[in-house]
Amino acid sequence: MSANYELRGNVAVITLNNPPVNGLGYETRKAVVEGLERAQADAAVKAIVITGAGKAFSGGADIREFGSPKALAEPNLLTVISACELSSKPIVAAIHTVCMGGGLELALGCHYRVASAGALVALPEVKIGLLPGAGGTQRLPRVLGVENALNMIVSGEPVKSDMLAMAPGQKLFQKIIEGDLMSGALAFAAEVADARPLPRVRDLKVSHPNADAYFQFTRNMVGGMSKNFPAPLKCVEAVAASVRMKFDDGMKYERELFTALMSTPESKALRHAFMAERATTKIPDVPADTPVRTVAKIAVIGAGTMGGGIAMNFLNAGIPVVMLEMKQEALDKGVAIVRKNYDAQVKKGKLKQDKLDARMAILSTTLNYADLKDADMVIEAVFEDMGVKETVFKTLDEVMKPGAILASNTSTLDVDKIAAFTKRPQDVIGTHFFSPANVMKLLEVIRGKETAKDVLATVMQLGKKIKKTCVVSGVCDGFIGNRMIEQYSRQAGFLLEEGCTPVQVDKAMEKFGMAMGPFRMGDLAGNDVGWYIRKRRYLEKPNLRYSKTADLLCELGRYGQKTSAGWYDYVPGKRDAIPSKIVTDMIEAHRLALGIAPRKIGDEEIVHRLVYALVNEGAKIVDEGIALRASDIDMVYLTGYGFPLHRGGPMCYADTVGLFNVVAAMNRFAANPLDDAAFWQPAPLLAKLAAEGRSFS
Ligand code: NAI
């Protein structure tokens, strides 16, 4: 049973009961309809209350049913809502905590709605590339007015019930109930038990004094703000239909738009990302109830670019941090940057001064390892050099208390080797933050060979607390994200040798939707970082061919924005990338030296070579068990590398193109003598899926 039925006096109470948020899955829908029938048949029942058990009225559709036939099985949500509207006895929705999507649409099918203050109300379908498909776009304007309803539907953002109840002329809530919701709802039900005719939202009038002008204005605005996503504009059209059409016609139109959106690649990508995000937390051999260690104090080693940003995450969550450096000046500099970042937030009105003070008050600094002895976890963010990491971890092993978690922020080094510097490898883990660490959502959690399960569970939980998207990665050079980016960068280098300019490659990738093309990204991150890594990496893999252009660039001292010169020229202090003659000359000279005659390369080839390089390496990463699933790779790229959300991540994009087509393109690339034929051999997983006509998802 996923809804309960009980009699409270002469009121039948139907309580949605499908944890965690009373999603309107098949069993729940069926139980509601059965409850309604039972109440109709019972002469003693004068009114009906529908409410939700536990933590929500209803969060909407049951996401576990997404894509399965159960989602549409009768009674579907539209049928449940009609059953409510057709009830001969008044139905009161008693709303609390969360009332979203289908949950709100169900409530709008009831005759009355009462709510506790502070309940979060939303139609968030637009966030997964859809629109409310069970009457939300037709009924909400009738109770809230066109403009309020449209804002909620287009943004998908929750609004508090008491705020909504203050909207002039609103008919969404008949009462906001202070105190016990159920007593209030029962009292309200008694009041309306004999009221006839029963009010139905569908019968309410909806209009706008300047409908044409208003909708044209919103079309322009929404269209401009949502260029890669079709759903927001369709939301506008659906709401416009509520004014223009009769209710039943509007419902039909809403359904048509909903069905069309369902099959767009953008909605598929958003739904994929939504599910992928939830999947990241599931680690097959580390169940959700794995005990975790207490982390009440954090130590950070190194107050450089990463150390300061890492510290901010914990300060924001109210967790005290002690930062250690080798020299006082480095500490002072690190703390000053943290303060400057907070100050900027205060200036923008995003942070209150007292919050800033509270955060700075729990940040302490030291030059002495003895001061770390009460920390529950330490995160090392010193230079990316195994020798330096060795010294630091040997010292940490001596000073940290037993059971403390020892984490490294290394971006490419072997976490197992780092763990072996200690006598407690089970307590060692990688926490790979992305720059700027206080802003970027991604946290790659690197599980070493010997990392204990409770250490992994603790770090995953801590990551959630500091609002990161945590993706587990096994140990390999570069982990998931940077291992893949190496192949992407290699292709970008080959493209320069074969005839492209940095501008052309960046433009093509940005048109595809990347936040930044590879060369602008290099200039931002610092080209010297990659240079340093290549020196180590290609020493270990001397046979791996790569374009030397990036090394030549660094030899000219062109490290990127920080030196006001990289792949582009920069005016000091500004971030605008200006195409550089020095760089084009350098590339041409290099080409000449290699004896390559440049050819014209189209945007499609650029995009496919770069993205499929990610896909092929990604498939190897899944094959090797470095990533738990292909969708984890998508989350890494969506949250850490600016991959366009409307494409759902590289693996999802490959699925959209069709793996057969992806493999065919790889075979073409392999035939290019200036490329790396060995790399383009499809990864075993990719070859297998393509041959079987399957996809990563
Ligand atoms: P950074 O050079 O800005 O900062 C390193 C800091 O560590 C310096 O302030 C230095 O004084 C300090 N340090 C060096 N040896 C030390 C020791 N023995 N004891 C105490 N402090 C010491 O470097 P950054 O960029 O912050 O990188 C740190 C780590 O984070 C590296 O492992 C790097 O690979 C990784 N990382 C860097 C990213 C980036 O975008 N910069 C992104 C993700 C990871």
Side-chain angles (χ1 to χ4, degrees):
M1 182 58 106
S2 40
N4 309 328
Y5 183 92
E6 63 173 327
L7 281 181
R8 302 279 294 260
N10 56 10
V11 178
V13 177
I14 299 172
T15 305
L16 310 175
N17 189 1
N18 180 21
V21 292
N22 301 323
L24 297 167
Y26 169 71
E27 273 82 18
T28 306
R29 300 193 304 265
K30 189 157 159 280
V32 172
V33 171
E34 285 167 2
L36 291 173
E37 281 166 6
R38 197 165 151 190
Q40 306 298 322
D42 184 344
V45 170
K46 297 288 177 224
I48 300 158
V49 167
I50 299 182
T51 191
K55 287 194 292 190
F57 172 77
S58 169
D62 191 334
I63 59 169
R64 290 164 291 201
E65 273 185 4
F66 271 16
S68 85
K70 263 191 162 184
L72 299 174
E74 286 283 4
N76 65 33
L77 186 54
L78 287 166
T79 308
V80 180
I81 292 170
S82 314
C84 291
E85 279 187 333
L86 292 171
S87 164
S88 59
K89 302 176 183 182
I91 306 179
V92 180
I95 292 163
H96 64 90
T97 330
V98 168
C99 175
M100 293 193 182
L104 179 55
E105 293 178 299
L106 171 63
L108 287 167
C110 297
H111 303 109
Y112 303 97
R113 287 152 299 278
V114 299
S116 39
L120 293 176
V121 179
L123 287 175
E125 288 79 357
V126 72
K127 294 194 171 174
I128 48 172
L130 299 173
L131 51 73
T137 65
Q138 304 305 297
R139 288 192 180 89
L140 197 64
R142 287 177 157 79
V143 294
L144 269 191
V146 169
E147 297 194 13
N148 285 334
L150 188 113
N151 286 343
M152 280 182 72
I153 294 169
V154 168
S155 73
E157 289 298 319
V159 186
K160 290 200 174 138
S161 52
D162 36 326
M163 292 292 293
L164 290 167
M166 288 194 299
Q170 68 84 24
K171 297 194 175 67
L172 176 55
F173 296 120
Q174 280 63 56
K175 201 163 190 177
I176 294 293
I177 293 180
E178 306 291 339
D180 182 52
L181 176 66
M182 189 40 70
S183 323
L186 290 171
F188 184 86
E191 270 173 48
V192 297
D194 296 320
R196 294 296 183 280
L198 290 171
R200 300 187 307 176
V201 172
R202 60 184 289 142
D203 300 329
L204 296 172
K205 294 263 165 300
V206 54
S207 65
H208 189 285
N210 298 306
D212 288 347
Y214 170 71
F215 284 114
Q216 199 45 50
F217 166 76
T218 37
R219 272 182 204 110
N220 293 342
M221 202 169 72
V222 171
M225 279 162 55
S226 56
K227 55 182 186 340
N228 291 322
F229 296 95
L233 262 184
K234 298 294 179 201
C235 290
V236 177
E237 295 312 333
V239 173
S242 76
V243 178
R244 198 159 46 81
M245 295 181 185
K246 293 208 187 79
F247 181 81
D248 286 321
D249 295 337
M251 287 294 287
K252 229 185 265 161
Y253 186 59
E254 177 194 86
R255 181 94 321 233
E256 276 166 27
L257 294 178
F258 178 86
T259 312
L261 283 175
M262 226 20 211
S263 58
T264 58
E266 292 82 2
S267 172
K268 283 185 186 156
L270 287 169
R271 278 177 281 148
H272 170 77
F274 181 85
M275 302 302 279
E277 168 113 49
R278 275 149 191 79
T280 53
T281 56
K282 302 197 169 62
I283 310 167
D285 64 329
V286 183
D289 59 358
T290 305
V292 294
R293 301 186 189 179
T294 305
V295 180
K297 185 170 182 189
I298 300 268
V300 174
I301 315 291
T305 310
M306 295 306 288
I310 291 171
M312 285 177 75
N313 285 292
F314 297 99
L315 302 176
N316 297 351
I319 301 172
V321 176
V322 53
M323 269 201 306
L324 180 141
E325 264 284 355
M326 294 180 298
K327 293 210 176 88
Q328 188 60 40
E329 302 87 82
L331 273 180
D332 294 345
K333 198 170 146 207
V335 172
I337 292 173
V338 171
R339 178 174 283 281
K340 198 174 123 209
N341 284 335
Y342 280 139
D343 277 337
Q345 288 179 24
V346 171
K347 276 207 191 92
K348 285 187 203 148
K350 288 188 181 158
L351 184 72
K352 296 238 163 67
Q353 183 66 39
D354 57 339
K355 280 246 170 89
L356 180 157
D357 296 338
R359 288 176 190 181
M360 292 308 289
I362 53 172
L363 173 63
S364 59
T365 60
T366 185
L367 298 171
N368 188 348
Y369 274 92
D371 292 333
L372 310 187
K373 62 180 183 305
D374 62 339
D376 304 298
M377 174 167 172
V378 56
I379 302 175
E380 163 277 310
V382 302
F383 302 136
E384 184 76 342
D385 180 287
M386 202 47 119
V388 183
K389 307 274 188 207
E390 175 171 1
T391 317
V392 169
F393 272 81
K394 283 190 167 153
T395 315
L396 290 174
D397 195 23
E398 276 161 28
V399 301
M400 298 304 289
K401 67 182 178 192
I405 296 174
L406 315 184
S408 172
N409 186 52
T410 178
S411 37
T412 52
L413 297 175
D414 185 339
V415 173
D416 290 330
K417 226 182 219 170
I418 294 176
F421 297 139
T422 74
K423 289 186 279 304
R424 37 174 141 173
Q426 74 282 359
D427 295 338
V428 177
I429 193 164
T431 49
H432 182 210
F433 287 82
F434 285 70
S435 182
N438 54 316
V439 177
M440 296 297 286
K441 283 285 285 176
L442 178 61
L443 177 60
E444 272 186 332
V445 177
I446 318 303
R447 179 182 193 172
K449 237 184 7 247
E450 301 202 40
T451 304
K453 289 183 184 181
D454 66 333
V455 168
L456 182 57
T458 306
V459 170
M460 292 299 281
Q461 194 195 61
L462 192 65
K464 195 170 168 196
K465 198 164 179 183
I466 60 171
K467 303 201 175 95
K468 297 291 179 195
T469 298
C470 298
V471 178
V472 178
S473 169
V475 175
C476 66
D477 189 353
F479 315 121
I480 297 175
N482 284 343
R483 172 168 157 186
M484 287 165 65
I485 212 77
E486 184 198 355
Q487 300 304 338
Y488 177 90
S489 304
R490 277 178 76 224
Q491 284 301 319
F494 291 148
L495 284 166
L496 295 185
E497 289 182 350
E498 290 171 39
C500 288
T501 62
V503 182
Q504 194 194 349
V505 175
D506 282 350
K507 281 248 165 72
M509 294 313 291
E510 285 159 20
K511 210 163 102 201
F512 172 77
M514 294 299 288
M516 241 180 245
F519 298 109
R520 284 217 295 141
M521 188 172 84
D523 279 357
L524 179 71
N527 297 309
D528 52 323
V529 178
W531 192 28
Y532 183 78
I533 294 172
R534 279 195 301 279
K535 283 181 194 164
R536 168 184 65 75
R537 199 172 261 164
Y538 293 102
L539 215 74
E540 290 166 13
K541 298 182 247 180
N543 296 328
L544 192 64
R545 210 167 63 72
Y546 73 99
S547 163
K548 301 280 189 303
T549 38
D551 297 349
L552 297 175
L553 185 82
C554 289
E555 283 165 20
L556 295 176
R558 298 183 68 100
Y559 293 169
Q561 289 188 16
K562 59 183 161 189
T563 53
S564 295
W567 293 106
Y568 296 88
D569 294 332
Y570 296 88
V571 175
K574 291 209 172 148
R575 290 173 180 274
D576 307 286
I578 306 161
S580 168
K581 168 121 182 22
I582 299 177
V583 172
T584 23
D585 288 350
M586 176 197 84
I587 295 169
E588 270 166 26
H590 180 56
R591 237 180 246 145
L592 209 64
L594 294 175
I596 298 173
R599 69 181 167 100
K600 220 169 136 39
I601 299 175
D603 284 2
E604 189 178 288
E605 180 178 339
I606 296 173
V607 168
H608 286 168
R609 280 174 68 177
L610 264 58
V611 176
Y612 296 170
L614 295 177
V615 172
N616 204 24
E617 195 64 22
K620 290 179 194 168
I621 284 172
V622 177
D623 255 337
E624 292 167 23
I626 298 290
L628 289 169
R629 47 187 83 81
S631 67
D632 277 8
I633 291 179
D634 287 333
M635 284 322 293
V636 166
Y637 268 76
L638 291 175
T639 57
Y641 292 83
F643 201 91
L645 179 59
H646 69 282
R647 307 224 187 247
M651 312 308 269
C652 176
Y653 176 70
D655 279 351
T656 308
V657 174
L659 298 188
F660 179 85
N661 297 325
V662 172
V663 167
M666 288 182 182
N667 291 335
R668 282 199 306 279
F669 302 152
N672 172 0
L674 297 174
D675 203 326
D676 177 356
F679 170 74
W680 285 121
Q681 290 318 301
L685 174 69
L686 175 56
K688 180 168 178 287
L689 292 175
E692 292 170 1
R694 291 165 62 201
S695 64
F696 288 117
S697 64

